[in-house]
Amino acid sequence: MVDKPPPPLRLEIDADKIAWLIFDAADSQVNLLNLQVMQHLDHYLAELESRIATGHPIAVVIWSAKPGTFIAGADVNEIAEIEDEEDGSRKSAMGQRIFSRLGRLGIPKIAAIRGVCLGGGTELALACDWRLASDAPATTIGLPEIKLGLIPGFGGSVRLPRLIGIQRALSMILTGRSLSASHAYRYGLVDQVFEDTGFQHSVAQVALDAVLGRVERVLPHETARDRFLENTRLGRRLLFRGARKRVRTASGTRYPAALKAIDVIEETLDLPIDEALAIEAEALGEVATTDVCRNLVRLFRGGRAANKTFAPQIGAQQREVRKVAVLGAGVMGGGIAELAAAHDIAVILKDIDRAALDTGLRHANELLQKAGKRGIIAPEEVGLKFALIHGTLDYERFGDVDVVIEAVVERLHVKQQVLRDVEPELPPHAVFATNTSSLSVTEVSRAAARPDRVVGLHFFNPVHRMPLVEIIRGESSSDAALATAVRLARRLGKTPVLVADRPGFIVNRLLAPYLNEVGFLLEDGADVAGIDRTLKEFGLPMGPCRLLDEVGFDVAAHVAKEMSRAFGDRMRPSAALETLTGLGRLGRKNDRGFYTYSDRDERVDREVSRAFRSGGGGVRPEEIIDRCLLVSVNEAMYALEERVVAGPGDVDLAMVLGTGFPPFRGGPLAWAESRGAGAVRDRLLELRERHGDRFAPAPGLERLADANGSFTSDAPWRDPGSPSDI
């Protein structure tokens, strides 16, 4: 007989007649508000209503048995299953009804927030009379729904502005950022903050005081300006107009949930609560079924899956990383050292040149100082974090290093020599991670005495901002080494994507044809400004010409040659880019790229404009988009067939996190899916006819189109006989 799992929450009543509704999901590290949990909550609220009628209990506390998590929000899998607007509105109304039932209990209701409190967890707390927070560092409170293309739909859009004011509510909802306990107190979102030690006792005492009416709410300071903006018709009109302007300036109408959230708050502020909640539920149904929401939810689920890369038996082999060494104190090396120190990992930063080492240390310190000024790190901790970085010119302290990250020049023989030099100084368990962007991890590992400990760990620049890390499995890389690398990436706050050891891995492999097409477009009469403007309007953070300036023409030329060597004519470098490289143009690094740069201006270099004067009217924007992006989609199909990554979700996740492909479009394959496999193939055939075989549809794409399959699911395009390398 199989034992039934314990329920995800339970009701306990203590000797003081305080009811404790305790969330404790047995099958998860966090508490989530899925349908089962909400049904249990509804059941216990009915029980409490009956008990309260007899005078027992006298107060109710919402509590989590998981010290690091209060409630982490709704179950994103259930969000993904919303069928249509009516279904979305109905599920929103269900959550609103249950939370309103809690709010109507005729006794004090207290949310005791210790750990992560997000989304539906915050909305549950808003339905309570009092919100108390632990000062534990893990305590953060937020409404991140906007990041999934949603609005708070369990009452948060209605209750939050009534509690903390319009300005603060708009800030929380439109950014999706979480607040620390102290910040939430200053906002008026929590009523008291207590030391984590003894937190439960403090909560129980507040519950008893609340019964006796001895708890007072301290309202945030409000200026005359705040009173005008919050409480007058003109002031509110100015607030909401400004909020809409900021949203449209930042992203236009690409993320409809942001504008919808503003509409809901403005429309419901003065309505009775039930009328206001009905409007919120209807709005939730509208945004939950948009393509933007579906794309963002898919990316979120992909990121979560990437953090569960290995089977439990493999994941169990990972080692805790207490100390890392970074070899090479350039911009990348200094950035990696700062990232590790910021996450409380001891770091050795080594170089062979004192001046380079000093520069790397200075760069790391500057990054930490900036993080302190932005509140990412507590200002008083900046010096302590920097003290974790030890600069050196030798291998004296490498005997207890867990992971070495090599970030030296992108030359195979140099990386192999560094590996030979450092390996004898390391403990047997240490992992050697090469931060290569284009070289074979397998070839690097041939210099190792312990090749099973060699992996690829490809960070993206700037390290402190880019959320992706490619984890590359070489031919000899062990599961234990890879699992340790993944654990380190997570510890550093990055999203790891496991990639096979193929040229360019996944991001640079798809980026290479995209950037290469720029040269062919210039040869065909397109202009630099037009190319960049078109791709920025598509949603990319910068156009490909601007990106080439940032990457550097020399680096791009090196990668292009490697790609051409590996993949033949479909990656043949364009003559235009080779010409520019030959003229000594390196991009931003020598202020000679497609653009000229100054403190006051940034414009297309006249010499470049003269070299590639548009002829015959240039190239239409839709062709620029198709030529740059469909060639990348096509390459993704080759990569998938070679099993470079596990599936289409990893492709889209990597390109969004690694290149800034617009999240609202869901990634290159999700974008291609919106056009259909048959239409994509037909368009590639047109481009092949006009521009050459680099646009020839990949075999997997041909099969996908023939089967009328989906770009975003593992389906008919994959050759059953293709090997698996990851």
Side-chain angles (χ1 to χ4, degrees):
M1 182 175 177
V2 179
D3 292 334
K4 291 180 64 176
L9 68 158
R10 60 186 184 272
L11 176 63
E12 298 177 0
I13 300 179
D14 66 19
D16 292 319
K17 298 184 181 181
I18 299 172
W20 296 77
L21 261 176
I22 302 170
F23 285 77
D24 190 13
D27 57 349
S28 174
Q29 295 180 344
V30 298
N31 296 315
L32 294 174
L33 295 178
N34 57 29
L35 179 60
Q36 179 196 22
V37 172
M38 295 296 283
Q39 288 172 340
H40 275 85
L41 177 58
D42 203 23
H43 166 76
Y44 282 125
L45 291 175
E47 182 178 337
L48 281 169
E49 288 169 346
S50 298
R51 287 175 175 267
I52 290 167
T54 65
H56 184 77
I58 59 173
V60 60
V61 174
I62 311 297
W63 182 263
S64 169
K66 300 181 185 298
T69 305
F70 179 66
I71 298 172
D75 187 338
V76 73
N77 293 318
E78 293 185 357
I79 296 173
E81 293 169 359
I82 292 175
E83 297 175 357
D84 51 36
E85 289 187 18
E86 184 179 349
D87 185 37
S89 297
R90 184 170 57 250
K91 289 177 177 175
S92 173
M94 179 271 295
Q96 293 172 345
R97 178 187 63 78
I98 294 171
F99 287 1
S100 293
R101 189 176 197 176
L102 169 66
R104 287 193 297 268
L105 292 179
I107 56 175
K109 300 157 290 288
I110 298 154
I113 303 169
R114 183 185 185 206
V116 175
C117 175
L118 297 175
T122 301
E123 293 179 283
L124 176 60
L126 287 169
C128 295
D129 301 311
W130 306 97
R131 285 152 295 281
L132 312 178
S134 156
D135 67 355
T139 301
T140 54
I141 307 170
L143 291 166
E145 287 88 346
I146 205 78
K147 297 178 181 180
L148 295 178
L150 297 166
I151 66 170
F154 283 1
S157 299
V158 171
R159 290 191 175 98
L160 186 66
R162 298 179 186 211
L163 177 69
I164 67 173
I166 302 168
Q167 296 172 86
R168 293 185 175 102
L170 285 171
S171 174
M172 284 190 67
I173 291 173
L174 296 181
T175 65
R177 286 196 294 266
S178 297
L179 307 179
S180 65
S182 60
H183 198 171
Y185 175 73
R186 292 195 297 272
Y187 258 39
L189 179 56
V190 301
D191 299 292
Q192 294 185 51
V193 179
F194 293 103
E195 290 185 2
D196 189 58
T197 303
F199 181 57
Q200 188 167 7
H201 174 76
S202 300
V203 170
Q205 186 59 54
V206 170
L208 292 173
D209 289 343
V211 172
L212 298 173
R214 294 194 302 216
V215 182
E216 294 184 1
R217 177 166 285 115
V218 179
L219 297 176
H221 175 69
E222 191 176 51
T223 66
R225 178 180 180 275
D226 290 333
R227 288 192 292 274
F228 166 71
L229 291 172
E230 299 275 349
N231 302 322
T232 69
R233 184 175 299 177
L234 175 59
R236 288 182 176 185
R237 190 181 306 134
L238 292 173
L239 267 183
F240 290 116
R241 182 188 301 164
R244 289 187 177 92
K245 182 178 180 180
R246 287 190 295 274
V247 168
R248 291 193 175 102
T249 300
S251 58
T253 57
R254 292 164 174 161
Y255 294 91
L259 293 171
K260 182 61 68 174
I262 298 171
D263 291 344
V264 170
I265 294 171
E266 184 175 28
E267 188 175 349
T268 63
L269 263 173
D270 297 317
L271 292 178
I273 188 72
D274 289 341
E275 290 181 34
L277 291 174
I279 291 170
E280 180 190 85
E282 182 180 356
L284 186 282
E286 292 175 14
V287 296
T289 52
T290 62
D291 288 340
V292 172
C293 177
R294 296 192 190 284
N295 285 335
L296 294 174
V297 167
R298 176 172 170 267
L299 288 169
F300 177 84
R301 296 172 76 190
R304 196 166 62 180
N307 281 317
K308 300 176 181 177
T309 302
F310 299 107
Q313 63 270 26
I314 297 175
Q317 300 178 54
Q318 66 186 4
R319 294 183 66 99
E320 184 178 353
V321 179
R322 296 185 176 89
K323 185 176 181 180
V324 303
V326 180
L327 307 181
V331 171
M332 178 64 73
I336 296 171
E338 181 272 339
L339 183 68
H343 288 83
D344 299 315
I345 300 175
V347 192
I348 299 174
L349 180 60
K350 181 190 179 298
D351 206 287
I352 59 174
D353 180 78
R354 169 55 67 180
L357 179 61
D358 290 343
T359 299
L361 290 169
R362 188 162 52 250
H363 179 57
N365 187 43
E366 288 170 354
L367 291 174
L368 287 168
Q369 294 290 344
K370 289 178 181 177
K373 290 178 181 177
R374 294 175 60 195
I376 298 171
I377 298 172
E380 63 272 16
E381 293 184 3
V382 170
L384 297 174
K385 304 277 190 186
F386 184 63
L388 290 170
I389 305 175
H390 171 70
T392 184
L393 300 175
D394 57 43
Y395 293 110
E396 184 179 344
R397 300 191 184 188
F398 279 63
D400 59 347
V401 165
D402 299 301
V403 175
V404 173
I405 302 172
E406 163 276 306
V408 301
V409 65
E410 192 78 348
R411 296 290 182 266
L412 178 61
H413 71 279
V414 177
K415 292 181 183 290
Q416 287 180 326
Q417 187 57 54
V418 166
L419 174 53
R420 291 189 193 98
D421 291 343
V422 72
E423 194 175 32
E425 311 297 330
L426 301 173
H429 74 268
V431 173
F432 181 92
T434 175
N435 183 49
T436 180
S437 60
S438 61
L439 300 177
S440 166
V441 174
T442 299
E443 289 302 314
V444 172
S445 73
R446 298 200 193 284
R450 297 188 293 270
D452 62 304
R453 311 303 298 167
V454 179
V455 302
L457 196 62
H458 180 210
F459 292 87
F460 292 79
N461 206 17
V463 176
H464 64 292
R465 290 183 185 169
M466 300 299 287
L468 180 71
V469 172
E470 291 178 316
I471 310 286
I472 301 101
R473 182 194 286 274
E475 286 181 7
S476 301
S477 302
S478 67
D479 288 341
L482 287 162
T484 298
V486 168
R487 178 169 182 167
L488 174 60
R490 291 182 193 140
R491 172 86 181 271
L492 297 177
K494 302 300 184 184
T495 298
V497 171
L498 191 59
V499 185
D501 189 16
R502 292 286 185 271
F505 311 129
I506 190 63
V507 170
N508 282 341
R509 178 163 175 179
L510 271 59
L511 196 60
Y514 164 77
L515 295 177
N516 195 34
E517 194 61 28
V518 167
F520 293 114
L521 284 166
L522 291 172
E523 292 171 6
D524 290 343
D527 65 275
V528 170
I531 294 171
D532 279 0
R533 182 174 59 251
T534 297
L535 273 303
K536 282 193 70 176
E537 289 173 354
F538 179 82
L540 287 154
M542 65 177 68
C545 300
R546 183 71 169 76
L547 180 57
L548 278 165
D549 276 5
E550 292 292 331
V551 170
F553 285 16
D554 52 340
V555 174
H558 171 73
V559 172
K561 288 176 182 176
E562 293 291 328
M563 295 294 101
S564 179
R565 188 177 298 115
F567 303 114
D569 281 348
R570 75 172 188 266
M571 294 268 196
R572 175 176 56 85
S574 67
L577 294 185
E578 289 186 326
T579 298
L580 290 172
T581 306
L583 294 174
R585 291 183 171 272
L586 301 179
R588 282 298 299 263
K589 66 184 68 176
N590 71 345
D591 288 331
R592 295 191 67 226
F594 285 110
Y595 294 86
T596 57
Y597 302 91
S598 68
D599 294 337
R600 295 177 301 169
D601 201 7
E602 179 182 310
R603 63 180 64 188
V604 178
D605 191 308
R606 293 176 182 174
E607 186 179 358
V608 174
S609 298
R610 287 194 296 270
F612 301 103
R613 279 198 189 280
S614 176
V619 181
R620 292 176 293 115
E622 55 267 32
E623 180 160 340
I624 291 173
I625 290 172
D626 284 356
R627 286 176 61 173
C628 284
L629 297 182
L630 289 183
V631 72
S632 186
V633 168
N634 200 41
E635 193 59 38
M637 301 306 292
Y638 281 108
L640 284 168
E641 188 150 8
E642 295 171 25
R643 308 281 180 124
V644 174
V645 291
D650 282 354
V651 171
D652 282 342
L653 182 69
M655 294 305 286
V656 169
L657 299 185
T659 71
F661 195 95
F664 70 91
R665 296 191 186 275
L669 293 179
W671 170 70
E673 177 70 12
S674 70
R675 299 180 63 159
V680 169
R681 177 185 60 183
D682 292 346
R683 180 60 172 146
L684 283 168
L685 289 172
E686 290 177 18
L687 293 171
R688 178 188 184 184
E689 184 71 23
R690 293 168 53 195
H691 301 291
D693 285 343
R694 67 182 181 279
F695 290 104
L701 178 51
E702 292 277 16
R703 287 194 296 274
L704 190 71
D706 289 342
N708 194 29
S710 167
F711 281 101
T712 57
S713 64
D714 291 317
W717 49 264
R718 178 163 276 171
D719 183 349
S722 62
S724 177
D725 291 305
I726 60 167

